Amino acid sequence: MKALDGIKIIDFTHVQAGPACTQLLAWFGADVIKVERPGSGDVTRNQLRDIPDADALYFTQLNSNKRSLTLDTKTKEGKEVLEKLIKVSDVMVENFGPGALDRMGFPWKRILELNPKMIMASVKGFSEGHHYEDLKVYENVAQCAGGAASTTGFWDGPPTVSGAALGDSNTGMHLAIGILTALRMRDKTGKGQKVAVSMQDACLNLCRVKLRDQLRLDRLGYLEEYPQYPHGKFTDVVPRGGNAGGGGQPGWVLKCKGWETDPNAYIYFTIQGHAWEPICDAIGKPEWKTDPAYTTAKARQPHIFDIFKTIEEFIKDKTKYEAVDIFRKFDIPCAPVLSMKEIANDPSLRKSGTIAEVDHKVRGKYLTVGSPIKFSDMTVEITGSPLLGEHTDEVLAELGYTPQQIAAMHETKAV
């Protein structure tokens, strides 16, 4: 039994933000029917292909556990299928451009007429009414508009976007929360409603600590935990802090053995106040525990990079794994900088299901992400992504179409 058994979702999404949302719900038991254009489907089926004529990994990693229905909603038959599907579904998720559903003949008013309990969930670039409402938004556009890029990178360089999908997958996660909330509300009221998350808003939600810092900077004129303090200068905006934590515990990326040839031979090391004495013991500097120049965070900040240099000297002949094994014994917050290759082959991540190997009818076995959320009483199983239109006949039969009617729709290319 899965938590979302019995919930049927029409997945009218493409690329990343919407599919990330619906995939998460599919993992938890929802019947997610991905509606795709006949003959082509989601654009990511073809983007960045590594195997000719096989769905690209871009698609497979965002569409596991789903069923694929091809449908041409421009045809009379296609519209009739969608009407029937709306009547028996709980949620419709879309990330079309503004007005696309209206032009398709399915405005919100019409959807409510067909199913008053429908939850209509939308991914947008900017919130409704925003002055950039009509602007097309992709991952890095969202990171820049959401405040992330302006605070990422080094102070002597340009704004930098993150490798993490703060605009796309993050927005999908937020939308999934909104959908579950709306379903819970429907349990109480019996009514459907619209739910929307903008990519700008989702990025900003992850940058709240930087907004906090802006407010502090407005009041104080400086930020003690940033590398610019006390020797540098602050302007009137939150600066880029390089690899500083920005959360009150100074942190930095430190070189380990092999850094000259291995771009990821580093650890991230954090100096928390309660861990200061263990740090001194770990690196063989017991005198620092009582030296007034080191005993408080405020005293350490003026020469924080000298401290990091000393720690780096201590680990220069140790691999990143050896360094972390030393520091973990002292309960010091740190971690190796792991490459994607190391993560893909991490036995712990395989065992926990965070990385899953699944079968695909064309690709064979492939790696994908698994559920980052773990449950004590529910197993999250990951299955391969569907082929284009793989479940079309199956879904149509469930909607009451006869084999003859299904064959006729294939003939007219309505499906």
Side-chain angles (χ1 to χ4, degrees), residues 339-365:
S339 68
M340 284 296 115
K341 187 170 185 176
E342 289 169 311
I343 286 173
N345 294 299
D346 189 318
S348 294
L349 296 179
R350 297 287 189 100
K351 184 178 179 181
S352 70
T354 301
I355 295 290
E357 186 175 64
V358 295
D359 291 311
H360 188 272
K361 290 181 175 64
V362 177
R363 295 189 65 90
K365 291 189 179 297

Side-chain angles (χ1 to χ4, degrees), residues 114 117 140 147 168 187 215 264 331 351:
L114 294 168
K117 292 187 176 183
N140 293 344
D168 278 325
D187 290 342
L215 301 177
N264 295 299
D331 198 26
K351 184 178 179 181

